[in-house]
Amino acid sequence: MTALRKLGRHGPQVFPLGLGCMGMSEFYGAHDDAESIRTINHAIDNGVNFIDTADIYGPYTNESLVGRAIAARRDSVVLATKFGIVRDAANLVARGVDGRPEYVRASCDASLKRLGVEHIDLYYQHRVDPQVPIEETVGAMAELVKAGKVRWLGLSEAGAQTIERAHAVHPITALQSEYSLWTRDVEAGGDQSILATCQRLGIAFVPYSPLGRGFLTGTIRSPEDFAQDDYRRTSPRFMGENFARNLALVDKVNALARDKGCSPAQLALAWVLARGEMLAPIPGTRRVANLDDNLGALDVVLDAADMAAIDAVFPADAVAGTRYPGQVMSLLAR
């Protein structure tokens, strides 16, 4: 039986691999709600109890999808959602951020309605609003806990100092940020790094995109593999010379996976899982077959020599290109 991992010092017990649901509704080409609902239920059937969504995915449709999928199994799920990113119906590429207390309250009520639930287990601020002191935003989030609408609080893509300030207002259970072989920003800074700050404060770290937006699976060989409306076509790491340089890195990981007798995705997820018990990654997929392959990572044991070999072929600073286009990059690690 797979051992569960505790989210933070006082949070719930979750399966080591969660399920990110964003791609079920947007960003990665065509989607099929029926297939996605099957995948969510297949995940729960196999012990996955940590389900992640956000209000803006879809936009504003993914929570409803997740709510339908878990309606008969609510008590089996640790349900996480987020607020704080603002999207414009006239320009879906644009992003804004709102951390005002009144926006926090309104967003929570809207999410509860879309999800069809009485409470949210883990409620994240999706991005930090530089115009609103984090103390005000987290103070409003703490009121939601007192009201019984939310059980635990989280932040996403917050910087170390912001995490400290937020945690002083109300215990932060989890920080969700991108982390994988090709995104290791949260390690930078040694004892002052984001990862070190979370560990010191007893905050769980929830890596999203632990498979590098699918690149680390080894199945993407050309930008033409993406659908016309796949956002990766406009992502710097998937464009031009960056794509070729990053593909060469992935090919080295593929070779290590063959030697280990596992899939590249399993190796990449095993690497994240091996970084510590405080981590609970949430790989996203719409398909049962991909979910089953991801779960196979739990059977992959990496020793010190394996970890050193992976780091040797894929060093922390090796990836070419930024994580997002410029405007979206400006919202990170505040």
Side-chain angles (χ1 to χ4, degrees):
M1 184 174 178
T2 302
L4 301 180
R5 293 188 170 190
K6 190 172 178 61
L7 280 185
R9 287 190 183 137
H10 306 294
Q13 298 276 347
V14 298
F15 198 75
L17 286 177
L19 177 62
C21 297
M22 180 187 77
M24 295 177 178
S25 299
E26 195 180 10
F27 299 114
Y28 296 120
H31 53 273
D32 181 331
D33 285 358
E35 181 181 30
S36 295
I37 288 173
R38 282 194 299 272
T39 299
I40 292 171
N41 279 283
H42 183 74
I44 298 171
D45 290 341
N46 283 273
V48 178
N49 70 337
F50 191 23
I51 307 296
D52 183 271
T53 181
D55 57 1
I56 58 130
Y57 299 159
Y60 305 103
T61 60
N62 191 246
E63 287 180 321
S64 297
L65 171 69
V66 170
R68 295 199 306 273
I70 69 168
R73 318 179 73 171
R74 175 66 182 95
D75 293 342
S76 301
V77 169
V78 175
L79 178 61
T81 192
K82 315 174 196 73
F83 76 93
I85 294 180
V86 180
R87 297 180 69 181
D88 182 351
N91 181 8
L92 292 180
V93 176
R95 298 287 187 274
V97 180
D98 195 336
R100 294 172 301 143
E102 58 268 34
Y103 187 81
V104 176
R105 292 188 286 268
S107 295
C108 181
D109 288 343
S111 287
L112 289 168
K113 184 175 181 180
R114 282 189 292 266
L115 289 161
V117 298
E118 294 182 353
H119 73 272
I120 295 162
D121 294 310
L122 177 59
Y123 199 40
Y124 294 101
Q125 182 184 20
H126 209 160
R127 293 291 185 271
V128 175
D129 185 347
Q131 304 304 317
V132 179
I134 192 65
E135 291 82 0
E136 292 185 17
T137 302
V138 174
M141 294 168 71
E143 291 174 3
L144 299 175
V145 176
K146 292 178 183 177
K149 295 180 179 182
V150 170
R151 289 189 172 171
W152 296 283
L153 303 184
L155 302 175
S156 180
E157 293 288 2
Q161 291 185 349
T162 299
I163 296 167
E164 294 258 15
R165 289 168 54 196
H167 194 67
V169 175
H170 186 280
I172 299 300
T173 294
L175 175 77
Q176 181 180 135
S177 294
E178 186 173 354
Y179 187 54
S180 68
L181 274 172
W182 83 339
T183 299
R184 297 173 65 174
D185 315 44
V186 295
E187 297 176 1
D191 291 344
Q192 303 304 311
S193 72
I194 291 170
L195 269 183
T197 299
C198 288
Q199 189 160 25
R200 175 169 50 80
L201 296 176
I203 297 171
F205 186 81
V206 178
Y208 72 83
S209 294
L211 293 174
R213 307 189 187 282
F215 207 37
L216 296 172
T217 66
T219 59
I220 299 168
R221 307 303 300 173
S222 164
E224 296 308 309
D225 290 338
F226 302 132
Q228 288 300 316
D229 59 347
D230 191 314
Y231 106 97
R232 287 172 292 188
R233 283 182 173 269
T234 62
S235 177
R237 290 186 176 179
F238 293 94
M239 300 171 68
E241 292 184 4
N242 289 346
F243 187 100
R245 287 176 56 187
N246 293 332
L247 185 61
L249 294 170
V250 170
D251 285 342
K252 294 177 181 179
V253 173
N254 292 352
L256 291 178
R258 286 194 296 271
D259 292 342
K260 193 69 179 174
C262 64
S263 73
Q266 290 168 351
L267 188 77
L269 289 174
W271 180 89
V272 173
L273 289 165
R275 304 301 287 183
E277 290 293 317
M278 64 178 282
L279 278 73
I282 50 167
T285 185
R286 296 171 292 195
R287 300 180 177 89
V288 168
N290 292 342
L291 175 67
D292 286 339
D293 185 66
N294 291 346
L295 292 176
L298 298 171
D299 297 322
V300 178
V301 179
L302 301 179
D303 60 22
D306 293 324
M307 297 293 280
I310 295 169
D311 283 344
V313 303
F314 210 130
D317 58 353
V319 70
T322 57
R323 290 203 266 148
Y324 294 101
Q327 190 267 339
V328 183
M329 283 295 295
S330 69
L331 305 180
L332 303 179
R334 289 168 164 167

